[in-house]
Each structure stands twice: as C-alpha cells, then as structure tokens.
Amino acid sequence: MRVLLLSDINGEQWAQDLSILDETEKYGWLWLDVTDPTQCEVELLGQRFGLHPLTVEDIVDDATSQDKMERIGGYALVMYRTTTDMTAETAFSIVVGSGWILSFHTSAAQMHVDRVLDRLQEHSNELLGSSFVVYALIDEITDWLTMTMTQIEHDVVQIDNAVMTQVPEEHTGMLQHMGLLRRRIVGIQRLQLGKPDVVRRVARVLGSNDELGHHFRDVCDHLAALGSLCTQCEVVLSRAHSNFMAQMSLKMNQTTHGLGMFSNRWLVLLGLMLPLQLVAMAFGQNVYVPWMYSDQPLRFDTIASWLGIMGCILLAFAVGLGFAWYRNYLSR
C-alpha cells in the first residue's frame, strides 16, 4: 500500500499506511491517493469519510467495474477505466466530497498520479481545488488513451504500406500482428464507449465555473476524436487484411497452376513412353515385319498382324495426346 496526501496547507506527503489521516481536520481541502488498497483499508476509509457500502464494493471489485458517475449523499463516485500495457484494463476510482478527494488504483496506474502531480506543480501559483484535481485525473487518463491509440495508428499505417509494397514472401508474422492490433483497437473502443457520458455528468456536477466547464468540454472533444481514430484504424486494418488475404490467395492460385502444368508435362511424357514400350514389345514378337526378307514381296495377309499391332500403338498414342490436350484445356 502507498498513500499520497496532497493538501492546500502541507502540500505533498507520502506514507505507507493510513496514519497520515490523523490531522486531516485542519486542511481546507485534501486529495488522498491510495495505491493497491486492500478491502479492509477501503472499508476503513469508507467509515472515515462516510462512504456507502455499495461504493466500497464498487471500489474493491475491480474486475466488474464500468465507467460511471454516481451521486450518493454528499459525495460523487467516478469510475474511469484506463489501460496499462495496451491490452490490460484497470479501474481508476475517484470519490469527490466536500473539500476532499479519494482515489484508488493499482500500481500499474501510478503513472497517471505522478503526471497529475507534475501538472499541479505547474499551476502552483493558481487557486486550485478538488474539482481541478478530478479534471486533471480524467484528462490525464484520456490523453494516455489517445497516445496509446496514436501508437496503434502508426503500426496500422506501417502494416498497410507493407502489404501494398512488399512481396508475400516478406510478410512473416503479418497476420498475427494484424490480430494483435485489432485486439488493441477493440480494447480502446471498449474503454472509450462510456467515457463521454461520464465526463458530461462530472462537468454538470463539478464544473462550477466557465473555465473548468471549458476544460471538461475539451476532454469530450478528445474522446470524440479518439473514437473516430479507432474507427479509422479499424477500416484501414480491415482493408489491409483483405489485401493481404487476396495476395495470399493469388499466390496459392499461382502455385496450384504451376503444379498443374508440371503434372500435365509428366502426363504427356508418360503418354509418349507407353507407345514406345508397346513398340519394343511388338517388335519382340514372332510376327512378320515388312522387308524382313528382301526376296519376298509384300502381301497384306502376311503383314496384317504387324499392321494391327502398329494401328493399336498409334491409336494409344493419339488417345494419350488427346487426353493430355483435354486436361490442359480444362486447366486454363
């Protein structure tokens, strides 16, 4: 467990337990950020700040959390999911009360808190409150999702160019890369769906001045651009996938055609070898061959058997050539 206490009096304080809350009554407003809290610690904070048991259950049950904003009594619960490594999702819970903020998250989402602290340091000369901290957290998570989607867009463009310019033999692992990018895009789309409604509800509740309301509207614009970018990348990736499969199909057709031509050539060769074998067999028989004896005249009745054998050979040769031509004609 890691606890951050940010107040308008003592500034930024870090601790390893909840003992840091002993003197919170003297602060004008405070932000308590808890990293990797246990169920007992969340319940203890719930008793300290008067949280409803269902709110504690939503904070603890990270697996079933969804983006939402609820007003319960004197505080508001904001669930704003984020991503850690482009695939895993984690919830970021924010409870906003009168002069205090509670935030709960895993250690994988600690980077958002660190960046918000840097942002608050840049505005140290301005009069900040709990509403601005909530806006900074929501805006930081939204910017992180946009940056993640921009990296995915860069990979999608590279794949689209590779499919159009490279030969199929160079597409090693292309299909697996497309599947991974599509899974990441679907994950970003799932995270983006409920966020615009949450931001608008938070703006109605916490946007007490025009400047803060303008900031929340800017977050909504970023979420709309994020949704459009997801749709655009999905379209480009779908087109690249179709082109890739078309190239693979063309390559397979060319390979099949080459195998067919190879088999046809061997079939013609075998068709020629068979009559030659028959010729060898024919001249090895005890039949009268023309001009075997030069002193005897040629007579049909003496060479009829030889003519029959040669006729059968020629017929077999013609049938073989005809079948080879027929197979070649069908393969065109």
Side-chain angles (χ1 to χ4, degrees), residues 171-241:
H171 294 164
T172 305
M174 185 73 71
L175 200 59
Q176 292 80 358
H177 196 188
M178 289 182 184
L180 178 61
L181 287 178
R182 277 193 159 176
R183 186 174 66 177
R184 291 176 177 176
I185 292 173
V186 170
I188 297 295
Q189 285 179 325
R190 185 168 57 247
L191 287 174
Q192 185 267 344
L193 284 178
K195 284 180 168 47
D197 293 335
V198 172
V199 174
R200 282 190 287 267
R201 293 192 61 186
V202 172
R204 286 196 297 267
V205 175
L206 302 180
S208 56
N209 55 70
D210 295 338
E211 183 66 20
L212 197 58
H214 175 71
H215 288 329
F216 280 115
R217 286 192 295 270
D218 182 66
V219 175
C220 290
D221 293 339
H222 289 175
L223 290 172
L226 177 63
S228 301
L229 186 58
C230 289
T231 304
Q232 176 185 353
C233 289
E234 177 62 27
V235 171
V236 174
L237 200 58
S238 177
R239 183 190 63 188
H241 184 267

Side-chain angles (χ1 to χ4, degrees), residues 14-31:
W14 293 93
Q16 299 297 326
D17 51 41
L18 298 178
S19 60
I20 198 172
L21 296 175
D22 294 341
E23 300 179 357
T24 56
E25 290 80 3
K26 64 182 181 180
Y27 300 142
W29 68 270
L30 62 90
W31 170 26

